[in-house]
Amino acid sequence: MSIAPISVGDVVAPYSVTPVNTSWKHLLASEIASETGQTALKSSITDTGSEIVFVGSASAAGTPTVQTCYIALWNIINPDTGADVDWADGEFMGVEVHYKFGTNNPTDGNKQACYVGAYGPSNTVMSAGIYKKSGTTYLASAEYSSSDANSITYNAANSFYGRQVIFPTSSATDVLFDYGDAFQLDDASTPVRVQGCLNEAATTVAGATLNIMMAIAGNCDVEAYYRLIRVPNDPSVSLTG
C-alpha cells in the first residue's frame, strides 16, 4: 500500500493505513486442502451453517495430542486479497485463531479434543485447543506431540483464542516457530474476561510451507476463523500500521 501525505500546518508527514492484522477468514470443511494424522478417526466432516461438523471417534491415546487426532489442513490465504500466502515473502509474522463450539464438543467425553493453529514442515505445530482426559477438561497450548495444559471449567458461552508467532528467517527458506498462546474467553460480550492462558516456545525448522490446521478427535461442532499478523512497520516512519 502506498504512503499518502497529510499536511499539518507547514509540516507534511507520511502515514499508513495498513492494519496490523488482516481481516478474519472463516474455516470451511469444503476448503480443506489435505488431511493427515489419524484420518481413520473421521467418519465425516461437513459444513452445517457456520460450523464445521466432525463426526468421528475419540483418540486412542490417554492424552489426545495433535499427533493422535485427525488433522485437516488449509492453504493459508490472505483474507484481504484472496491470494495464497508464501510465508518466505516476510509479509507476515504470525497467525491468530478464534473459535467456539456448538452442541458437540471435546467436553463430551474422554480422549476428545479440538486444536486450531499453524502446521509447518516436519510436523511442527503451534495451536490452541481443549481436550478431555479422565473426566477433566484442559486448555492447551499444543505442539504436535505435547502441550502445556491447565484444567478449566467450560460453558457454552466460552470462545477460544490463540496466537502463534512464526517468523520467516533471513534465509527465507526456514521459519522460526517462536511461541504460541491459548486463551479461554468467558463469552462474546465486552468487556471480555480471560479464563485461562498458556504459552509455549518452539524452534527454527527447515522449509517455509505453512498451513492452517484443525486437529479433532471425537464428535465436534466448531465455528473457527483465522487472520494473519503483519510484520510491524518502522514507527519512526509511521505510527500506524
Side-chain angles (χ1 to χ4, degrees), residues 36 71 139 153 214:
T36 187
I71 301 173
L139 172 69
T153 299
M214 181 181 290

PDB file of all heavy atoms in Angstrom, residues 36 71 139 153 214:
ATOM      1  N   THR A  36      -4.277 -35.297   7.268  1.00  0.00           N
ATOM      2  CA  THR A  36      -3.163 -36.106   7.759  1.00  0.00           C
ATOM      3  C   THR A  36      -3.497 -36.538   9.187  1.00  0.00           C
ATOM      4  O   THR A  36      -4.632 -36.430   9.640  1.00  0.00           O
ATOM      5  CB  THR A  36      -1.842 -35.310   7.670  1.00  0.00           C
ATOM      6  OG1 THR A  36      -0.753 -36.179   7.993  1.00  0.00           O
ATOM      7  CG2 THR A  36      -1.821 -34.105   8.594  1.00  0.00           C
ATOM      8  N   ILE A  71      -6.319 -34.652  11.393  1.00  0.00           N
ATOM      9  CA  ILE A  71      -5.811 -33.303  11.127  1.00  0.00           C
ATOM     10  C   ILE A  71      -6.266 -32.841   9.751  1.00  0.00           C
ATOM     11  O   ILE A  71      -5.981 -33.491   8.735  1.00  0.00           O
ATOM     12  CB  ILE A  71      -4.277 -33.254  11.213  1.00  0.00           C
ATOM     13  CG1 ILE A  71      -3.800 -33.686  12.610  1.00  0.00           C
ATOM     14  CG2 ILE A  71      -3.763 -31.858  10.885  1.00  0.00           C
ATOM     15  CD1 ILE A  71      -2.288 -33.828  12.718  1.00  0.00           C
ATOM     16  N   LEU A 139      -7.402 -26.690  28.903  1.00  0.00           N
ATOM     17  CA  LEU A 139      -6.983 -25.720  27.900  1.00  0.00           C
ATOM     18  C   LEU A 139      -5.529 -26.010  27.583  1.00  0.00           C
ATOM     19  O   LEU A 139      -4.712 -26.194  28.485  1.00  0.00           O
ATOM     20  CB  LEU A 139      -7.129 -24.300  28.431  1.00  0.00           C
ATOM     21  CG  LEU A 139      -6.550 -23.168  27.571  1.00  0.00           C
ATOM     22  CD1 LEU A 139      -7.358 -22.993  26.295  1.00  0.00           C
ATOM     23  CD2 LEU A 139      -6.514 -21.863  28.365  1.00  0.00           C
ATOM     24  N   THR A 153     -12.953 -24.928  33.576  1.00  0.00           N
ATOM     25  CA  THR A 153     -14.384 -25.199  33.599  1.00  0.00           C
ATOM     26  C   THR A 153     -14.978 -24.594  32.343  1.00  0.00           C
ATOM     27  O   THR A 153     -14.808 -23.407  32.069  1.00  0.00           O
ATOM     28  CB  THR A 153     -15.042 -24.582  34.842  1.00  0.00           C
ATOM     29  OG1 THR A 153     -14.472 -25.164  36.012  1.00  0.00           O
ATOM     30  CG2 THR A 153     -16.545 -24.830  34.836  1.00  0.00           C
ATOM     31  N   MET A 214      -6.561 -27.792  11.785  1.00  0.00           N
ATOM     32  CA  MET A 214      -7.530 -28.143  12.825  1.00  0.00           C
ATOM     33  C   MET A 214      -7.377 -29.629  13.100  1.00  0.00           C
ATOM     34  O   MET A 214      -7.471 -30.454  12.191  1.00  0.00           O
ATOM     35  CB  MET A 214      -8.965 -27.826  12.396  1.00  0.00           C
ATOM     36  CG  MET A 214     -10.006 -28.148  13.475  1.00  0.00           C
ATOM     37  SD  MET A 214     -11.706 -27.783  12.944  1.00  0.00           S
ATOM     38  CE  MET A 214     -11.662 -25.980  12.898  1.00  0.00           C
TER      39      MET A 214
END
